[in-house]
Amino acid sequence: MPAIKPAPLCLGPLTALEAPKIALPKGACDTHCHVIGPFDRFPMVEDRTYTPPVATPESYLAMLDRLQMDRGVLVNVSVHGTDNRLLLETVGPRQDRLRAVVVVPADVSEAELERMHEAGARGFRINLLFKGGVHMEALERLAAKVAPLGWHAQFLIDIRMLPEILPVIRRLPVEAVFDHMGHFPAALGPDQDFFQSMIALAEEERAWVKVSGAFRLTDKGLPHDEVRPLAEALLTRIPSRVVWGSDWPHVSLYDVMPDTGALLNEVLGWCPDAAIRQALFTDNPARLYGF
């Protein structure tokens, strides 16, 4: 068996962040972040795509405070595989403020899922873009197990593959959540059939979309002008089915680290309507995650 190549070390997040330029509505929520390490307690999987620095719960909570986020959702990071201990240790005592999206194998027991639910988990993640995640073969078994808990299935995929998996998603007994506006090259624009299919799922109340990760959809820095038409299409067409996420600590970046506050301010600039901001930052995540 060939040796596993060392995964490259990626950048850590910035510590000095822009403050929000517009006041956030009460109950504002950042729905997409990760906590990582320390690796003596929470080892990384050997076969991984990248090697991140430690991102502590304390640093995460300080970031939420800086961005005026009353609430947050932590998603288990791929380098921790199906080890959700750090995630649930962070969320469990803070369920007035935090929720979790876990990564679990298809054979996870219903009792373990119930324990995770009690600790603040509200969804599971399917990851087709980074090593260490759980893939499509587990989707339907997991969806059937979590449906009684009211969870959702979160997808980190390039939605150019959506047409081939759409029949599976449509028959799931749970709703879908798509990371990072579908995680495809923004230069292709919002008129693509796969992007419109994602919107259609949301219009049918079968899916939600995270307005997040703009820096992952283009190789250009701020302002992410190529991404803006995608975000505006989502905010206009499905304002009741979108949520915002910072994607802190922005793993798998090697050259330039974005300012998390600047990313928030960019999205605030894309939704000048106060009613849409209320939905995006507060009302929608409260419904999706059960705050």
Side-chain angles (χ1 to χ4, degrees):
M1 186 174 180
I4 296 172
K5 294 181 179 179
L9 179 67
C10 59
L11 298 173
L14 304 179
T15 54
L17 306 178
E18 277 188 21
K21 294 180 178 179
I22 299 175
L24 276 296
K26 184 178 179 181
C29 183
D30 181 345
T31 70
H32 197 104
C33 294
H34 312 289
V35 285
I36 306 169
F39 304 122
D40 57 343
R41 281 197 65 209
F42 307 104
M44 290 182 284
V45 296
E46 186 177 4
D47 190 14
R48 59 186 184 272
T49 302
Y50 57 86
T51 299
V54 169
T56 66
E58 293 75 18
S59 296
Y60 163 63
L61 294 169
M63 182 278 298
L64 289 185
D65 290 343
R66 174 63 174 167
L67 268 55
Q68 300 176 15
M69 293 288 147
D70 295 321
R71 299 167 177 163
V73 179
L74 284 170
V75 180
N76 204 19
V77 68
S78 64
V79 300
H80 284 318
T82 57
D83 182 354
N84 297 282
R85 290 176 299 149
L86 172 61
L87 189 75
L88 297 176
E89 284 182 16
T90 305
V91 172
R94 302 178 177 91
Q95 292 185 54
D96 58 331
R97 188 178 193 186
L98 303 181
R99 293 288 186 271
V101 174
V102 296
V103 177
V104 290
D107 62 357
V108 65
S109 69
E110 282 83 354
E112 178 66 6
L113 291 170
E114 289 172 2
R115 185 190 71 81
M116 291 180 174
H117 187 83
E118 290 298 316
R122 294 296 182 268
F124 70 93
R125 194 186 202 197
I126 297 294
N127 183 344
L128 302 189
L129 300 185
F130 292 114
K131 297 176 182 178
V134 169
H135 300 156
M136 286 295 295
E137 62 270 15
L139 173 60
E140 291 189 87
R141 284 182 66 190
L142 287 173
K145 288 181 178 182
V146 306
L149 298 172
W151 288 18
H152 61 265
Q154 180 172 321
F155 292 89
L156 179 58
I157 62 171
D158 182 326
I159 61 163
R160 286 177 289 183
M161 72 173 292
L162 185 57
E164 64 187 85
I165 64 172
L166 198 53
V168 177
I169 291 177
R170 284 193 180 280
R171 66 174 179 258
L172 293 178
V174 299
E175 295 179 341
V177 175
F178 292 101
D179 287 348
H180 308 330
M181 294 177 267
H183 207 297
F184 69 99
L188 296 176
D191 296 329
Q192 302 296 322
D193 288 345
F194 53 81
F195 187 75
Q196 293 300 316
S197 293
M198 181 177 69
I199 289 178
L201 279 173
E203 288 175 330
E204 296 163 18
E205 298 189 345
R206 299 280 307 158
W208 305 73
V209 183
K210 290 191 178 185
V211 180
S212 61
F215 56 92
R216 300 196 185 278
L217 279 62
T218 178
D219 58 5
K220 299 177 175 63
L222 283 161
H224 297 113
D225 293 333
E226 287 184 331
V227 181
R228 182 168 186 154
L230 305 182
E232 290 180 338
L234 295 170
L235 293 165
T236 301
R237 291 273 302 279
I238 51 169
S240 65
R241 305 293 289 188
V242 287
V243 294
W244 177 78
S246 69
D247 197 23
W248 184 96
H250 318 303
V251 297
S252 195
L253 297 182
Y254 304 96
D255 299 317
V256 178
M257 175 56 59
D259 179 323
T260 314
L263 294 173
L264 170 59
N265 283 322
E266 179 173 58
V267 173
L268 287 169
W270 292 343
C271 53
D273 184 275
I276 292 180
R277 292 198 300 272
Q278 177 72 31
L280 176 67
F281 290 102
T282 300
D283 296 347
N284 297 348
R287 287 163 45 220
L288 177 58
Y289 298 101
F291 284 109

